[in-house]
Structures are given as structure tokens and as C-alpha cells.
Amino acid sequence: MRLFHYISGSNVEKEKINMTVPVIMAKKHTFFSFHKETMSFFIPYDHQESPPVPTDSKVRVETLPAFCVYVRSFPGLMFMYEWVQHLQLKAALEKDGKSYNKDYYYAAGYNSPMDSPFKRHNEIWFIKK
């Protein structure tokens, strides 16, 4: 909810920011991991030069470097299908001898939580080495 509050005006400028997609979660490649996950929103282009400063000290504005990813897309609810898709992408990359970052991956969601589970678009991203 911290990021939602930030884009809803909980920032120094009290400015509302349009919601964007995808919403990404950086996660460890470990099943049943209790490691901290990081959620990120894309800041719209009209705010990128000078993003509003967060008022919550746990919200940070960061710039990710450019990177290439191996992607597996899937419908449905992320929490129900994420690990099956993760394992299938991992198997395909290892079969093809592709190298990827084994520290973390991204889970990307493109829909509102209110959207039907049958109309969702999700992705798993492995960062290419």
C-alpha cells in the first residue's frame, strides 16, 4: 500500500501520479522464500525528470539500468501459477544453455486487482547475463 499511497499524493508535492503497468516484484529464485521482496511501479514519462519526493522513508525512487530479460507470459492469478511458470522458464533456459541472473527474478503483473482472473496478463522475467 505504500506505493499506492505515494502515487495517490503521499509525497512532498502532494501530487497524484497515474498508475502504470507493469507492476513488478523482485524476488529470490527460492521456493517458499522468506526473503524481502521489492515492488516497483513505473513512473510515467511526464514525472521522470523530477519525480515527486516520497514522504514515507520506506518508499524510494530508483532508476533501473537497462537490461534484457527472458520472458514467460501466462494468464490467471499470479500466486496460483507463478512457480509453475518459473520452473518452466528455468528448464527451457537451461535446456538451451542460456545464462541468467540466479540471484533474483521479476514477476510482472499488468492488471488491476479488480480484473477478472480469466483476463489477466502476467510475466516472469529472468535477467539475461
Side-chain angles (χ1 to χ4, degrees):
M1 290 303 292
R2 287 184 187 101
L3 289 179
F4 177 75
H5 291 303
Y6 169 71
I7 67 171
S8 296
S10 290
N11 53 67
V12 172
E13 293 82 356
K14 296 186 181 350
E15 191 169 351
K16 290 188 178 183
I17 304 168
N18 289 332
M19 183 67 195
T20 59
V21 294
V23 173
I24 59 174
M25 296 284 294
K27 300 182 173 192
K28 296 281 184 184
H29 278 283
T30 319
F31 191 63
F32 287 123
S33 172
F34 294 103
H35 294 95
K36 185 174 155 184
E37 297 175 348
T38 303
M39 179 183 281
S40 300
F41 289 176
F42 179 81
I43 293 180
Y45 291 111
D46 57 337
H47 290 285
Q48 286 186 6
E49 288 295 318
S50 182
V53 176
T55 53
D56 184 332
S57 62
K58 293 185 178 183
V59 174
R60 298 183 315 272
V61 176
E62 296 180 343
T63 301
L64 291 177
F67 57 91
C68 292
V69 294
Y70 297 107
V71 177
R72 185 158 178 95
S73 300
F74 59 100
L77 296 172
M78 178 72 77
F79 75 91
M80 290 179 66
Y81 302 106
E82 178 178 354
W83 271 100
V84 170
Q85 300 301 321
H86 179 280
L87 293 172
Q88 290 178 348
L89 180 56
K90 178 181 175 184
L93 294 175
E94 289 176 358
K95 178 183 173 198
D96 290 344
K98 303 295 183 184
S99 182
Y100 60 91
N101 182 316
K102 293 193 170 60
D103 293 330
Y104 66 96
Y105 70 99
Y106 288 106
Y110 288 82
N111 298 86
S112 160
M114 306 308 159
D115 286 353
S116 163
F118 303 106
K119 296 183 178 182
R120 290 178 181 268
H121 177 84
N122 306 297
E123 296 175 346
I124 300 294
W125 299 353
F126 284 16
I127 301 166
K128 181 180 178 181
K129 274 192 170 181

